[in-house]
Amino acid sequence: MKYILVTGGVISGIGKGIIASSIGTILKSCGLRVTAIKIDPYINIDAGTFSPYEHGEVFVLNDGGEVDLDLGNYERFLDISLYKDNNITTGKIYQHVINKERHGDYLGKTVQVVPHITDAVQEWVMNQAKVPVDDDKKEPQICVIELGGTIGDIEGMPFVEAFRQFQFKAKRENFCNIHVSLVPQPNATGEQKTKPTQNSVRALRGLGLSPDLIVCRSAKPIEMAVKEKISMFCHVEPEQVIFIHDVSSTYRVPILLEEQGIIKYFKQRLNLPIDDQPSDLLMKWKKMACRYERLLKVCSIALVGKYTKLSDCYASVFKALEHSALAINYKLDLMYIDSTELERSMEAENSVKYHQAWHKLCKADGILVPGGFGIRGTEGKLQAISWARTKKKPFLGVCLGMQLAVVEFARNCLNWEDANSTEFDPDTKNPVVIDMPEHNPGDMGGTMRLGKRRTVFKTENSVLRKLYGDEMFVEERHRHRYEVNPELTHCFEEKGLKFVGHDTEGNRMEIIELENHPYFVGVQFHPEFSSRPMKPSPPYLGLLLAATGTLNAYLQRGCKLSP
């Protein structure tokens, strides 16, 4: 087993996740089996209870793990399926060690950060690195480990110490450290500064880890003189300094790394049994990156949500839309609309914001209402759904988006004026969305319906079934506490809102489709989590096809994309 540790310096959010994913992609393109582990030094057990404004979206895995969004990057780039234990947190490690102490495993010894916590980290990494993540279920050969945060953070110290010890346990030819740093360029001088990188590398060395590669992030391409300066002051060869400037799409990052000789370096440094040249997989990435940059036709989608100030809050939704747009040769114009700005109360409070939000919504080619929790902004989402339904705009509702589509239909087509979800109005006379039988309102963490579940199509006359390749069932990932009330579904079906998919028992409504509408679809699951750059998610692909007016032609071709 070969281990590649990716650390970061100067600032967090520098792009370690994309660089770790890109390195994995390059090695996979050389024919190696790659897995990935993300370490988050926070004390939370998992990411499940975070607000999206804390660390971005909560990504959900097949096994129901609620994890950091970087695991979504790993899955998309490497086309693998990870597990909740591929995301290590301080909380998980301490819980594991404390449970062992309570069980008596330490035989009365004083339990300390060193060696007990550090040993637990190393043991976890070694065990999880062996778990197969590809469809062929073979043991991985390389494990890429990303250490979250920045070098010097107090909460990250036990993990840095664990890897300082681990480098000797694994042996030099099996362990490699990549340090990602920032090269800022102040506007006042326009000069690229190397001092932050020098200080960051010095801090890393002071903690016992020496970088084998220094990946320098910058806004613009870095000059050769800067590379030589970093090489000299950080005690590495010039070829060990890699530059990654801001690019038009993340698909370009693996290509930038490969152009700077990273395959040859890894082959020598880790004694890998590979050729110097990448295989067809990286050539596909190159073609995809070039195609992305040449797109001319634009499709605009309005994303109506309440976490619109930070794009990472809907990272997987954005990626799923981007994958689908790329598949049909369109450039995506994603317009984020804060759902509270569509509400009537906003017109009185700030009429400019209100009219700007409605202007965006009206000019969009399609409308998407993603998942979410809480009552804030729901009336605005209902307004957007009503607009999509009445104006025959292509619409996709995901999780809460589907539930609100049912609420909107009940209020405006069935004339149930107080129809609502019991999440927002526990005393409603028409509870069209109810909490699940297994929902425990006490604990918040891990009490939802999580992970990959089967959805069975109950009719052949379904747009989504055709988009999924006419399969009898699909398996997608879930994350919800509430669901459509099965006792009321017949009322909706009589008026044209069809529940075309349900769970294996037939009790949970999973997919809705509206008759006599170009594309009005809602799904209880989160299809964005399984979208891949070369395998777009069918519900999102359907939205893009309908928004560009090409859905019927696509269905007539037997769901084949035009060349």
Side-chain angles (χ1 to χ4, degrees), residues 164-209:
R164 185 196 68 76
Q165 298 171 18
F166 187 69
Q167 64 186 330
F168 303 112
K169 190 181 286 186
K171 303 288 188 293
R172 177 174 160 75
E173 65 273 15
N174 299 323
F175 183 87
C176 176
N177 177 213
I178 297 170
H179 189 61
V180 185
S181 184
L182 178 69
V183 177
Q185 191 168 4
N187 289 333
T189 61
E191 184 187 0
Q192 291 171 330
K193 297 291 186 181
T194 64
K195 193 64 73 180
T197 298
Q198 292 177 43
N199 290 337
S200 180
V201 170
R202 188 182 300 118
L204 183 65
R205 282 217 171 91
L207 295 169
L209 285 170

Side-chain angles (χ1 to χ4, degrees), residues 34-45:
V34 183
T35 187
I37 291 173
K38 172 71 193 289
I39 297 174
D40 286 302
Y42 47 67
I43 297 174
N44 303 60
I45 299 295

Side-chain angles (χ1 to χ4, degrees), residues 24-51:
T25 301
I26 288 169
L27 294 170
K28 187 166 183 175
S29 78
C30 296
L32 298 167
R33 294 185 299 279
V34 183
T35 187
I37 291 173
K38 172 71 193 289
I39 297 174
D40 286 302
Y42 47 67
I43 297 174
N44 303 60
I45 299 295
D46 60 30
T49 54
F50 281 143
S51 158

Side-chain angles (χ1 to χ4, degrees), residues 333-406:
D333 175 20
L334 185 58
M335 299 183 289
Y336 293 96
I337 300 175
D338 188 332
S339 55
T340 58
E341 294 175 5
L342 297 171
E343 295 175 1
R344 283 282 176 200
S345 58
M346 181 58 72
E347 188 175 17
E349 189 182 318
N350 189 329
S351 61
V352 174
K353 276 188 176 180
Y354 175 79
H355 290 294
Q356 283 175 342
W358 273 101
H359 176 68
K360 276 187 189 176
L361 190 75
C362 294
K363 73 176 186 178
D365 299 316
I367 296 169
L368 170 71
V369 178
F373 298 93
I375 194 167
R376 185 174 69 84
T378 51
E379 289 303 317
K381 292 174 185 177
L382 288 166
Q383 295 279 352
I385 292 165
S386 185
W387 172 266
R389 182 180 58 78
T390 54
K391 302 298 180 186
K392 301 221 182 294
K393 284 270 187 185
F395 166 79
L396 175 63
V398 176
C399 196
L400 177 64
M402 169 185 152
Q403 295 170 8
L404 290 177
V406 172

Side-chain angles (χ1 to χ4, degrees), residues 302 321 366-370 385 388 393-398 401-402 464 519-523 527-528 537-543:
L321 288 167
I367 296 169
L368 170 71
V369 178
I385 292 165
K393 284 270 187 185
F395 166 79
L396 175 63
V398 176
M402 169 185 152
L464 211 51
Y519 190 81
F520 192 95
V521 171
V523 291
E528 64 270 18
S537 166
Y540 285 91
L541 182 61
L543 177 65

Side-chain angles (χ1 to χ4, degrees), residues 112-184:
Q112 296 175 289
V113 174
V114 181
H116 301 102
I117 296 295
T118 52
D119 284 354
V121 172
Q122 295 173 61
E123 184 186 331
W124 195 305
V125 166
M126 286 190 292
N127 289 339
Q128 199 57 32
K130 295 174 187 170
V131 176
V133 292
D134 284 307
D135 291 337
D136 63 8
K137 300 297 178 193
K138 288 183 180 176
E139 187 177 307
Q141 296 163 290
I142 293 196
C143 180
V144 180
I145 307 153
E146 180 194 345
L147 176 57
T150 52
I151 290 301
D153 293 345
I154 290 172
E155 60 260 38
M157 289 296 186
F159 295 103
V160 176
E161 172 59 22
F163 286 107
R164 185 196 68 76
Q165 298 171 18
F166 187 69
Q167 64 186 330
F168 303 112
K169 190 181 286 186
K171 303 288 188 293
R172 177 174 160 75
E173 65 273 15
N174 299 323
F175 183 87
C176 176
N177 177 213
I178 297 170
H179 189 61
V180 185
S181 184
L182 178 69
V183 177

